[in-house]
Amino acid sequence: MEPHRPGKVRTRFAPSPTGDLHLGNAHTALFAWLFARHHGGVFLVRFEDTDVERLVPGAEGAVLADLRWLGLDWDEGPDVGGPFGPYRQSERGRLYEQAAAQLKEGGYAYDCFCTPEELAERRAAALARGAPPRYDGRCRGLSPSEAARRRDELAAAGLRPALRFRLPDEDREVVVHDLVHGATVFHTRDLDDFLLLRPDRTPLYNFAATVDDWKMAITHVIRAEEHLTNTPRQILLFEALGADVPTFAHLPMLLGPGRRKLSKREQATALRRYREEGYLPEALLNYLALLGWSDPAGREFFSKSELIEVFALERVSKAAAVFDRERLDWMNREYLRRLSPSELWRRLQPFLDWPEGISSKRSAETERLRRAVEVLREGVPTLSALAVALSPYRGGSRLEMGREAARLLDGEHVPTLLARSAALLKPVPEEEWRSERLGEILHRLPSELGLGPAKVFRPLRAALTGQASGPELPVVMWLLGKELTLARLGAYNQAIGEDRAE
Ligand code: GLU
């Protein structure tokens, strides 16, 4: 393994602003950030935005907001600036032109006049022959005078040539010393003279990333495994530019269920979805850290500062890691469980998008809701699930009825059941309105009405909560309080009566 170079560690996260921040990218950002923070180094963000066709307006802001929500921070970046800016590739054109000129001068790059149509045709022909579709080097050997003539020809039409890297004439090995994969050997005979600049002078990924990593003095390139095969090209470029080659670490892939690629169609891949569903950022961060990395002591729960302290790339595995939603749910539940009642209540607020809102004053309603939260928190994986479970405990006798609950209230026996229950509960004094007492009364109902327990308790729950599942019924009634319980039993009796009368 390569020793870390002396000097300050500098890592970067280089997303393309082409949409929501993907879980895999968040994972990459987290590992690069942890490494920088562990070494007291710099973590920076730069946007790779030269592929204009794939850009999505607003994506930059959304990516930064997602990173911030997850709990990451950066020392340099498009929003905060820094000494190595600009931090957007679209604003670094001058640097790429300078590097291009330097490469051309050194004989490491040449102009290419092949048109996209010619390239596509040759590519198709190569594939048809069963040959790899590599650039055939057609413009590599053009004489300087011929190249100049073609350049003038293009210039007359207001156009410019593309620029290609010139691979060494003789085959040579390029070894990637990777902190995760060890030494990985590539051969230049398996590469082709790759493009550096398009005819419109926008840079291609390998070129722009290398120039940026060089000019931004990046010491450790920590990124997704899919870029390992790009790395020999980048190393050749670093060498041709006379730049220090950084240390590389390619992180294991994240897979979905069945060890298939995480796909948008099969599961939520955007970090934003997890935020919206009410996962706690500290739980998601903890969970992502455990994908492909493990603690030598086998611990699973870490605060951010604990992670920074123990994180090391040596403990990152080569094997792909499986993103398992159930395990994330388990971890999120644990984090929810650890929140104090007032902290949980605070975190829940953005999820209570009830039209009438709830007052922040300690009204009877908030008292009831806060008590309900303490009961319901045990059964839910996320804040949004908690908000749904909580909605029946708002005031008002009218409820939002779920489809299954509505079906449960459809039975012939339901009006009598509700009326009878109300009659039995009414005499219970307010001060005795507690779940044990209520449980005793409910317990007698099936035999009194000559009905099976399911026919009694399921419609009752539906009438009281609009939901088909939840805590024990006596607990539900206790949480609702006497007034609301009776109001709801009455309201449904009435509503059912009206329906029947129509
Ligand atoms: N824009 C590239 C990506 O999002 C960055 C690759 C790199 O880190 O070099 O995959």
Side-chain angles (χ1 to χ4, degrees):
M1 207 154 279
E2 292 270 282
H4 296 152
R5 273 188 282 147
K8 203 168 185 155
V9 162
R10 291 177 55 87
T11 69
R12 83 309 192 270
F13 173 55
S16 306
T18 53
D20 282 321
L21 183 65
H22 187 282
L23 276 178
N25 286 136
H27 180 253
T28 302
L30 172 61
F31 279 38
W33 177 83
L34 282 172
F35 182 81
R37 293 292 174 254
H38 178 84
H39 290 281
V42 166
F43 173 69
L44 65 87
V45 175
R46 87 169 170 245
F47 280 117
E48 306 213 322
D49 60 346
T50 57
D51 193 349
V52 184
E53 276 164 27
R54 293 177 55 225
L55 296 185
V56 172
E60 277 193 20
V63 164
L64 296 181
D66 280 346
L67 291 174
R68 227 175 268 121
W69 174 79
L70 189 61
L72 306 194
D73 57 353
W74 43 99
D75 310 294
E76 300 169 24
D79 56 338
V80 293
F84 296 85
Y87 294 87
R88 238 177 236 112
Q89 289 187 332
S90 58
E91 295 165 12
R92 296 173 65 80
R94 204 175 44 83
L95 292 159
Y96 307 131
E97 286 293 351
Q98 278 169 5
Q102 186 189 329
L103 289 173
K104 257 182 98 170
E105 211 154 292
Y108 293 106
Y110 60 89
D111 287 335
C112 175
F113 303 91
C114 299
T115 64
E117 296 74 30
E118 286 164 351
L119 292 169
E121 217 170 275
R122 283 182 244 152
R123 215 182 125 82
L127 285 171
R129 284 197 310 275
R134 297 195 192 125
Y135 180 62
D136 61 4
R138 193 154 307 208
C139 296
R140 187 181 163 108
L142 292 182
S143 67
S145 59
E146 175 63 8
R149 191 188 62 75
R150 298 244 204 139
R151 250 192 321 271
D152 289 345
E153 223 174 72
L154 281 180
L159 301 173
R160 297 189 60 181
L163 187 73
R164 284 188 188 274
F165 187 71
R166 182 191 299 275
L167 286 175
D169 292 332
E170 298 298 323
D171 178 38
R172 59 160 276 210
E173 272 186 359
V174 182
V175 184
V176 181
H177 294 282
D178 190 282
L179 290 181
V180 175
H181 294 259
T184 311
V185 180
F186 294 87
H187 288 272
T188 55
R189 62 166 182 257
D190 299 324
L191 307 176
D192 65 358
D193 285 351
F194 51 96
L195 273 179
L196 304 175
L197 294 174
R198 300 183 184 90
D200 67 1
R201 308 308 277 184
T202 55
L204 281 102
Y205 160 69
N206 280 308
F207 182 49
T210 304
V211 172
D212 290 347
D213 287 338
W214 170 38
K215 293 289 178 188
M216 292 179 176
I218 298 301
T219 58
H220 293 77
V221 171
I222 300 170
R223 63 184 169 203
E225 190 181 302
E226 60 184 352
H227 292 294
L228 181 57
T229 51
N230 283 320
T231 309
R233 293 181 185 85
Q234 296 180 14
I235 290 179
L236 289 167
L237 276 168
F238 279 113
E239 290 176 356
L241 288 163
D244 281 341
V245 180
T247 301
F248 294 95
H250 287 91
L251 305 173
M253 288 223 315
L254 295 197
L255 299 177
R259 302 191 69 79
R260 283 193 304 271
K261 203 173 165 215
L262 263 184
S263 89
K264 239 192 233 173
R265 254 173 293 122
E266 287 181 60
Q267 63 268 77
T269 53
L271 190 83
R272 186 172 48 80
R273 288 280 301 277
Y274 294 85
R275 173 164 84 184
E276 288 168 358
E277 284 186 33
Y279 288 86
L280 301 178
E282 59 270 41
L284 187 58
L285 181 133
N286 191 153
Y287 180 67
L288 287 175
L290 297 177
L291 295 178
W293 171 84
S294 58
D295 170 42
R299 283 173 305 171
E300 291 189 296
F301 287 89
F302 295 92
S303 68
K304 255 189 333 189
S305 52
E306 288 165 344
L307 268 177
I308 288 170
E309 204 182 308
V310 296
F311 184 81
L313 286 171
E314 285 73 16
R315 299 279 311 170
V316 172
S317 104
K318 268 189 269 198
V322 175
F323 181 85
D324 175 354
R325 184 70 172 255
E326 277 174 31
R327 204 155 163 74
L328 171 63
D329 282 358
W330 165 78
M331 186 154 261
N332 203 54
R333 253 180 236 269
E334 285 300 310
Y335 271 89
L336 282 175
R337 235 165 42 78
R338 292 165 188 211
L339 294 180
S340 69
S342 56
E343 181 60 10
L344 177 59
W345 180 247
R346 194 183 68 75
R347 301 268 201 125
L348 183 63
Q349 296 313 300
F351 294 87
L352 305 180
D353 58 344
W354 300 333
E356 67 276 29
I358 54 165
S359 85
S360 55
K361 287 199 305 295
R362 286 226 162 191
S363 62
E365 179 174 41
T366 49
E367 281 304 325
R368 179 170 63 241
L369 288 169
R370 292 184 72 143
R371 207 176 328 138
V373 164
E374 288 308 301
V375 172
L376 297 166
R377 65 189 292 172
E378 294 299 328
V380 294
T382 60
L383 290 170
S384 65
L386 183 54
V388 170
L390 189 61
S391 70
Y393 302 94
R394 280 179 291 168
S397 53
R398 276 294 190 170
L399 270 179
E400 215 172 282
M401 262 300 135
R403 200 170 330 142
E404 198 183 344
R407 195 183 51 74
L408 288 167
L409 287 171
D410 222 13
E412 279 292 324
H413 69 295
V414 171
T416 321
L417 163 67
L418 301 187
R420 187 73 197 122
S421 310
L424 280 172
L425 292 164
K426 214 166 186 169
V428 180
E430 288 275 4
E431 40 320 336
E432 288 175 35
W433 192 267
R434 275 194 274 283
S435 43
E436 307 80 52
R437 177 74 199 275
L438 300 169
E440 285 160 21
I441 295 174
L442 289 180
H443 190 67
R444 296 205 303 270
L445 264 177
S447 54
E448 267 187 40
L449 294 168
L451 292 165
K455 283 208 139 180
V456 172
F457 299 133
R458 302 195 72 202
L460 270 181
R461 173 185 300 285
L464 291 171
T465 66
Q467 297 177 352
S469 61
E472 303 267 309
L473 260 189
V475 175
V476 169
M477 289 179 174
W478 166 68
L479 287 175
L480 285 171
K482 180 171 177 181
E483 199 185 318
L484 208 47
T485 301
L486 292 177
R488 288 201 179 152
L489 294 175
Y492 280 97
N493 244 333
Q494 215 177 353
I496 292 166
E498 281 161 13
D499 283 352
R500 299 261 149 91
E502 272 168 16

